[in-house]
């Protein structure tokens, strides 16, 4: 699926690009710019929006205008867009020019060809912020891209109110995109203030559109969840839905620390690594405090696997476990007494859960499914209610005693007592057309089961 459709009607459809941009700047924050048109004696200034200057301040010369733009550019570089008066489609585009002379020379050359130019400050799209499109109550966005990045796969999709809450949580910024409830807005959001109004939100395009019938598809991994961590993103979604999530501080590699969740009443903490994408049971989860910087350095020195570390309030655990939906629609609730590490790692057999625990977990599943459809989650029961400590979307392919359905020419027996890393090693060296039989009491919702499901190797329990 690609991103939101193009504008049905631009705000001022008959105007040039620079006129539209100036009109947009009357209402919203836009990237700082100066525009020029062709003249008999060289480029003629058209519009200007620079922080600290009056709107459309007339500069004495092209070099003076460009020098003022460079002085305001946080990145120290300038872009140039060019277009013809008769055709608003873009012509030449020059990115991140770093000297006044280069920019002035380009503007004069393009003007001599009878074309218009917009020189604007370069805004780094890889600064930890996001860019995207908001329209009719739906927001699609991703990091490391311009707003048009939603035209390719991998963007995040959220209802408008959820997206605004996520932006406020992650960046501490109260973003207003109310205009997108009845229009199409191309925007970018930045940790540092940008633009001629010096705010965190930049508007790139605004256009009125007719209503369209499409809702957010809340799934991950996506490029935003990869940036902040798969586990962090899932827990934020659970928190948005309103199910109990323990107070969590996310210490990320690319964004400043941020927090969400509810007070559990405990002064103890857990440290949980949050991979870029889910890797069941591979990276550290530990009770008590560990140096998060040392942790990511030791376990992911090249920065390709871990997006963040979570510091999470402890939950007084009476029972803990996981819940998944099987391929046949069965809702599987499994767990054990206590904090549940042994159950998830496959070293503790699943125990029969009391009826009140099953009822509480089922209620959480019902709340999550209203918004997400099929879900898989890890949970902790504190004696009165259930807390969600990890969340994913989608049903499992497991059915009955088949963790991964399928036939194989040969089967090998793996004792679950050998642990997760031995299982990963077996999967790396497994011959073609070979399946796995798990020997031992292992849960269908444990990390052992998750690992073989991700490998998609036929696996069944003996």
């Amino acid at each position: 699926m690609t991103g939101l459709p193009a504008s049905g009607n631009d705000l001022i459809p008959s105007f040039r690009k620079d006129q539209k941009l100036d009109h947009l700047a009357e209402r919203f924050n836009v990237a700082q710019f100066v525009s020029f048109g062709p003249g008999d004696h060289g480029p003629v200034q058209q519009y200007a929006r620079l922080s600290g200057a009056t709107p459309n301040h007339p500069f004495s010369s092209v070099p003076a205008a460009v020098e003022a733009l460079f002085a305001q550019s946080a990145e120290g570089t300038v872009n140039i867009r060019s277009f013809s008066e008769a055709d608003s489609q873009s012509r030449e585009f020059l990115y991140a020019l770093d000297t006044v002379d280069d920019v002035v020379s380009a503007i004069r050359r393009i003007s001599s060809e009878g074309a218009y130019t917009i020189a604007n400050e370069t805004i780094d799209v890889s600064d930890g912020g996001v860019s995207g499109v908001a329209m009719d109550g739906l927001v699609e966005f991703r990091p490391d891209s311009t707003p048009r990045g939603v035209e390719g796969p991998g963007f995040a999709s959220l209802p408008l109110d959820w997206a605004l809450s996520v932006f406020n949580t992650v960046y501490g910024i109260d973003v207003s995109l109310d205009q997108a409830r009845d229009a199409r807005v191309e925007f970018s959001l930045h940790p540092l203030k940008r633009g001629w109004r010096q705010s965190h939100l930049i508007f790139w395009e605004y256009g009125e559109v007719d209503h369209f019938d499409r809702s957010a598809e809340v799934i991950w991994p996506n490029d935003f969840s990869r940036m902040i961590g798969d586990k962090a993103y899932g827990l934020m979604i659970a928190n948005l839905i309103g199910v109990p999530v323990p107070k969590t501080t996310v210490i990320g590699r690319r964004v400043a620390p941020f927090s969400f969740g509810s007070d559990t009443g405990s002064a103890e903490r857990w440290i949980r690594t949050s991979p870029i994408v889910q890797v069941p049971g591979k990276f550290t989860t530990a009770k008590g405090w560990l140096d998060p910087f040392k942790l990511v350095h030791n376990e992911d020195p090249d920065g390709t696997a871990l997006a963040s570390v979570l510091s999470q309030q402890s939950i007084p655990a009476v029972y803990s476990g996981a819940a998944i939906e099987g391929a046949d629609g069965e809702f599987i609730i499994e767990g054990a007494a206590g904090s549940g590490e042994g159950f998830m790692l496959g070293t503790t057999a699943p125990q029969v859960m009391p009826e009140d625990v099953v009822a509480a977990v089922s209620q959480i599943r019902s709340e999550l499914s209203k918004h997400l459809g099929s879900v898989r989650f890890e949970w902790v029961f504190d004696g009165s209610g259930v807390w969600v400590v990890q969340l994913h979307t989608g049903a499992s392919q497991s059915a009955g005693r088949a963790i991964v359905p399928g036939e194989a020419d040969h089967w090998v027996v793996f004792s679950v007592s050998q642990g997760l890393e031995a299982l990963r090693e077996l999967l790396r060296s497994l011959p073609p057309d070979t399946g796995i039989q798990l020997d031992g009491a292992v849960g269908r919702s444990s990390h052992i089961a998750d690992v073989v499901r991700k490998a998609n190797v036929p696996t069944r329990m003996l």
Side-chain angles (χ1 to χ4, degrees):
M1 186 183 72
T2 55
L4 289 166
S7 299
N9 298 287
D10 287 334
L11 192 61
I12 317 174
S14 61
F15 281 20
R16 294 192 318 257
K17 283 183 178 289
D18 57 341
Q19 294 172 316
K20 293 179 183 179
L21 184 58
D22 179 68
H23 197 86
L24 188 65
E26 291 179 2
R27 297 180 59 188
F28 307 118
N29 185 39
V30 301
Q32 299 175 96
F33 75 94
V34 183
S35 67
F36 300 91
D40 293 337
H41 304 288
V44 178
Q45 181 184 331
Q46 304 294 304
Y47 302 96
R49 296 283 177 158
L50 271 69
S51 176
T54 57
N56 297 323
H57 172 80
F59 291 94
S60 60
S61 65
V62 175
V66 174
E67 286 174 1
L69 182 59
F70 264 102
Q72 293 291 340
S73 174
E75 313 303 338
T77 58
V78 167
N79 305 334
I80 296 177
R81 289 179 283 166
S82 63
F83 54 94
S84 301
E85 184 170 26
D87 184 1
S88 65
Q89 294 299 311
S90 295
R91 297 170 77 251
E92 185 177 1
F93 176 74
L94 302 172
Y95 180 74
L97 302 179
D98 57 6
T99 70
V100 171
D101 287 346
D102 285 346
V103 174
V104 171
S105 175
I107 290 171
R108 286 175 172 162
R109 173 178 57 79
I110 294 169
S111 177
S112 71
E113 299 168 358
Y116 289 77
T117 55
I118 300 173
N120 67 268
E121 62 176 330
T122 304
I123 297 182
D124 182 11
V125 297
S126 296
D127 60 357
V130 296
S131 299
V133 178
M135 179 176 168
D136 201 22
L138 170 62
V139 182
E140 295 174 345
F141 59 96
R142 72 190 326 152
D144 305 315
S145 178
T146 68
R148 295 299 175 95
V150 301
E151 294 172 359
F155 57 81
S157 178
L158 292 175
L160 176 61
D161 291 336
W162 284 23
L164 299 184
S165 180
V166 165
F167 296 157
N168 184 272
T169 296
V170 175
Y171 300 107
I173 300 168
D174 188 10
V175 176
S176 175
L177 281 172
D178 285 341
Q179 301 85 356
R181 296 189 190 278
D182 54 10
R184 180 185 185 278
V185 175
E186 291 189 14
F187 71 93
S188 60
L189 181 64
H190 302 277
L192 299 178
K193 292 181 179 179
R194 295 286 188 266
W196 94 276
R197 294 179 185 269
Q198 288 294 285
S199 69
H200 297 279
L201 183 65
I202 298 284
F203 280 69
W204 295 98
E205 283 193 16
Y206 174 85
E208 297 178 357
V209 293
D210 295 330
H211 173 75
F212 76 110
D213 186 17
R214 197 171 107 198
S215 58
E217 187 177 5
V218 185
I219 57 174
W220 64 98
N222 54 58
D223 285 352
F224 185 72
S225 72
R226 292 182 180 97
M227 182 176 74
I228 67 170
D230 188 87
K231 196 175 299 182
Y233 189 83
L235 287 174
M236 267 206 306
I237 297 299
N239 188 62
L240 276 171
I241 290 171
V243 300
V245 172
K247 187 72 174 180
T248 301
T249 297
V250 180
I251 306 163
R253 284 180 140 162
R254 294 197 55 196
V255 296
F258 61 92
S259 300
F260 58 88
S262 302
D263 189 353
T264 68
S266 174
E268 296 180 340
R269 312 291 297 189
W270 282 80
I271 285 286
R272 303 182 188 275
T273 46
S274 185
I276 293 170
V277 295
Q278 185 189 17
V279 187
K282 181 174 178 61
F283 298 105
T284 292
T285 292
K287 194 169 187 179
W289 180 253
L290 297 175
D291 182 338
F293 306 103
K294 184 177 180 180
L295 183 60
V296 295
H297 174 74
N298 289 342
E299 298 198 358
D300 181 31
D302 58 2
T304 59
L306 294 178
S308 60
V309 173
L310 312 185
S311 173
Q312 196 171 69
Q313 263 189 313
S314 181
I315 302 163
V318 179
Y319 291 95
S320 303
I324 62 173
E325 185 176 313
D328 55 2
E330 178 189 7
F331 184 54
I332 303 164
I333 301 172
E334 298 176 324
S339 57
E341 305 99 306
F343 163 73
M344 293 306 299
L345 293 173
T347 58
T348 299
Q351 299 172 4
V352 176
M353 293 292 99
E355 291 185 3
D356 58 337
V357 175
V358 171
V361 174
S362 297
Q363 179 60 39
I364 293 292
R365 180 247 191 153
S366 176
E367 292 299 316
L368 294 172
S369 296
K370 288 177 186 177
H371 302 275
L372 302 176
S374 297
V375 290
R376 315 183 308 276
F377 59 97
E378 294 179 25
W379 54 268
V380 177
F381 180 74
D382 65 3
S384 59
V386 164
W387 298 79
V388 174
V389 293
Q390 193 165 164
L391 172 65
H392 301 281
T393 58
S396 159
Q397 70 262 55
S398 300
R401 298 189 65 79
I403 303 293
V404 180
E407 295 301 323
D409 293 337
H410 308 282
W411 294 87
V412 297
V413 176
F414 177 80
S415 173
V416 298
S417 64
Q418 296 178 66
L420 275 172
E421 292 312 308
L423 177 59
R424 287 189 227 272
E425 182 58 36
L426 171 63
L427 289 166
R428 283 191 288 267
S429 60
L430 200 66
D433 300 318
T434 302
I436 297 175
Q437 295 179 324
L438 298 178
D439 182 15
V442 62
R444 290 177 287 173
S445 61
S446 67
H447 289 327
I448 291 279
D450 284 338
V451 166
V452 293
R453 278 192 289 259
K454 285 184 74 69
N456 200 31
V457 171
T459 305
R460 59 197 184 197
M461 295 185 289
L462 285 175

